[in-house]
Amino acid sequence: AKSIGPIAVLNIANHRSDAFLVTEKDIRSVELEGLPAGDVKEKAISLQDLLEQDSLETRVKTRDKFGKLLEWLWDAGIQKVLQELDLLGSRKGQFPHITWVPGGLLNAFPIHAAGYHGKKANKGNVLDSVVSSYAPTIKSLEYGRERSQAIVLHSDKKSALLVSMPETPDQLSLPFVHEEINSITELLAKRGWESIPHITPPIKDEILHLLRNSNIAHFACHGES
């Protein structure tokens, strides 16, 4: 559907790397010359090293290096993908949507954050251009969309589990978690959805139990792969 937006399947290989772009009009491939398999592997190792080094004491240094990786990812191929789909550029109001299906070691990278930020944001980034989602395969995306449509069309009760964790041991606090949860609650209420907020520090067994009785879930917390 047009409202769901295009799919970008990123295939990294030794011989040649490509983005396969799936839209409502056609399917086409675009060569990603800047993302050869060797470079992606090298950068993925650098990213892993940064994550292992990162702490509150090293945050300034690691954040700067992490920013360089995001800029490399943008220049090496992600900018080209958005350009090919005519999705490049800062926006106000309604943002178009794209689903990324990254291959191989590209799964290690936050593609939705690729680009230039802060004072250099005018050079472009993904966050200012589109709303991003991820899927492991096109088949799984198709299944998920069918499931979500079935929920909207046939479920008598539409409930959303909202899990928040503004404070996490050994991690920086997330200052806008409460605003995020409140905004989502308001949006869901306008569409007839019931929100199930989980405010206390989440416990695995509790969350798994609540997930069984929810149509969708939203997590406002730190994440690790």
Side-chain angles (χ1 to χ4, degrees), residues 43-123:
K43 298 295 184 181
I45 293 172
S46 298
L47 175 60
Q48 185 60 41
D49 289 342
L50 276 178
L51 294 175
E52 291 175 358
Q53 297 166 18
D54 186 53
S55 67
L56 293 177
E57 291 76 19
T58 64
R59 185 62 49 85
V60 173
K61 186 180 294 185
T62 53
R63 183 173 58 189
D64 182 60
K65 292 181 178 179
F66 187 66
K68 296 295 184 184
L69 278 175
L70 295 179
E71 292 169 6
W72 163 80
L73 187 60
W74 175 258
D75 292 335
I78 301 306
Q79 178 185 21
K80 185 175 183 179
V81 171
L82 295 184
Q83 196 167 21
E84 287 287 335
L85 291 168
D86 196 25
L87 297 177
L88 199 59
S90 298
R91 306 172 191 279
K92 294 181 180 179
Q94 190 77 21
F95 277 59
H97 182 266
I98 186 172
T99 301
W100 302 99
V101 182
L105 288 173
L106 272 185
N107 280 289
F109 293 91
I111 296 169
H112 64 278
Y116 293 80
H117 301 276
K119 295 180 180 179
K120 297 187 288 184
N122 62 334
K123 292 185 177 182

Side-chain angles (χ1 to χ4, degrees), residues 137-148:
T137 63
I138 291 181
K139 188 68 176 177
S140 67
L141 179 61
E142 180 184 20
Y143 174 77
R145 287 179 177 177
E146 289 174 354
R147 288 277 297 165
S148 65

